[in-house]
Amino acid sequence: MSETILVVDDEREIADLVEVYLRSENYTVRKFYSALEALECVEQEELSLAILDVMLPEMDGFTLCQRIREKHLFPIIMLTAKVEDMDKITGLTLGADDYITKPFNPLELMARVKTQLRRYKRYNVADSAAQEAPDEYDIRGLHISRSSHKCRLNGEELPLTPLEFNILWYLCEHQGSVVSSEELFEAVWGEKYLDNNNTVMAHIARLREKLKEPARRPKYVKTVWGVGYTIE
């Protein structure tokens, strides 16, 4: 059974082009030109990934992304004509996994889709090597379990995305050590880290928000300025 991918873009030519390339890779496509129609599909079907345009009628892509993240963990790639860093950070902090600006090379988008799907499967399917490692950590009321892929803070389950879960798990595995942004990115994203990459910072900010961390004195994920992040 092929993966089902949601495509939402009010520019019909772009949506149609993305659909053609996805179908050529044997993906099942659910294509919509508005966010409200897309939300109905999200509630009715099991999706593997979503590609969302930022500028949509009725509801923008950022809001749509946030609505999806209330219940679903599948990867989300944002499409936008804007190139400012703040727009990228906004998408990532609302739960997006990747970001690509228009105009884009459809082959690059297909590569991003494949990368996100591989990553998502890796997060959700434990291999034999993983079984030999500790299955859970409990740090001052923060309990995280690899087998159940759940995280609880003082008994309350946290709605972490797969990326957020893996970031927190990696920091817990290295408790007491400082993990650089470069190491964290390459371990979690599985790609080469580039300078001026705000992806880690954006996801750490979103993770802290879900952990209800005070901005100035976080209890769990702490910043070691100029070095990286740590859980003590």
Side-chain angles (χ1 to χ4, degrees):
M1 182 176 179
S2 66
E3 288 102 339
T4 301
I5 297 179
L6 175 70
V7 177
V8 190
D9 197 318
D10 65 326
E11 294 185 68
R12 292 174 180 259
E13 297 83 358
I14 293 179
D16 294 348
L17 178 65
V18 171
E19 179 184 26
V20 168
Y21 273 84
L22 287 170
R23 290 192 184 280
S24 72
E25 297 287 346
N26 297 317
Y27 295 117
T28 299
V29 179
R30 297 290 180 262
K31 179 182 63 178
F32 299 94
Y33 305 121
S34 75
L36 295 183
E37 290 180 317
L39 273 178
E40 292 182 11
C41 175
V42 170
E43 294 305 314
Q44 296 172 3
E45 294 201 40
E46 183 174 344
L47 301 171
S48 304
L49 182 143
I51 300 173
L52 311 179
D53 184 32
V54 170
M55 304 300 292
L56 293 170
E58 303 167 337
M59 178 192 301
D60 65 51
F62 291 143
T63 304
L64 176 57
C65 174
Q66 194 170 25
R67 290 282 296 276
I68 291 173
R69 276 290 173 256
E70 290 174 359
K71 297 182 180 179
H72 304 281
L73 298 176
F74 55 76
I76 297 175
I77 299 175
M78 304 297 295
L79 301 179
T80 182
K82 297 183 178 182
V83 296
E84 292 85 352
D85 282 345
M86 190 52 65
D87 291 311
K88 180 175 181 179
I89 292 172
T90 298
L92 294 174
T93 57
L94 291 176
D97 299 278
D98 204 354
Y99 190 99
I100 190 167
T101 56
K102 300 177 180 178
F104 56 85
N105 184 330
L107 295 178
E108 179 185 356
L109 178 59
M110 294 305 103
R112 302 275 190 102
V113 166
K114 292 175 183 178
T115 296
Q116 289 299 330
L117 289 173
R118 282 198 305 269
R119 188 175 296 148
Y120 184 62
K121 291 174 184 176
R122 187 170 70 241
Y123 293 158
N124 290 278
V125 179
D127 57 25
S128 58
Q131 296 300 322
E132 297 175 3
D135 186 62
E136 57 186 42
Y137 291 95
D138 198 332
I139 303 173
R140 302 188 307 281
L142 176 65
H143 182 269
I144 184 169
S145 169
R146 183 194 288 272
S147 59
S148 66
H149 212 273
K150 291 182 179 180
C151 179
R152 291 183 173 83
L153 180 61
N154 298 322
E156 179 184 350
E157 186 172 338
L158 303 180
L160 301 185
T161 67
L163 278 174
E164 291 163 353
F165 181 93
N166 241 43
I167 290 170
L168 186 58
W169 181 265
Y170 192 84
L171 291 173
C172 288
E173 279 187 313
H174 296 80
Q175 182 183 2
S177 301
V178 180
V179 179
S180 68
S181 294
E182 178 178 359
E183 178 185 347
L184 193 56
F185 183 85
E186 294 184 358
V188 173
W189 277 261
E191 299 174 6
K192 183 66 178 176
Y193 181 86
L194 301 176
D195 290 339
N196 302 318
N197 188 328
N198 293 315
T199 302
V200 172
M201 179 182 68
H203 280 83
I204 288 288
R206 179 64 172 166
L207 181 58
R208 282 173 170 160
E209 181 181 333
K210 292 183 178 181
L211 288 168
K212 301 179 177 63
E213 295 264 58
R216 294 183 178 274
R217 299 186 56 141
K219 180 179 178 181
Y220 297 103
V221 182
K222 299 183 179 181
T223 299
V224 180
W225 294 108
V227 184
Y229 303 97
T230 185
I231 290 182
E232 298 177 345

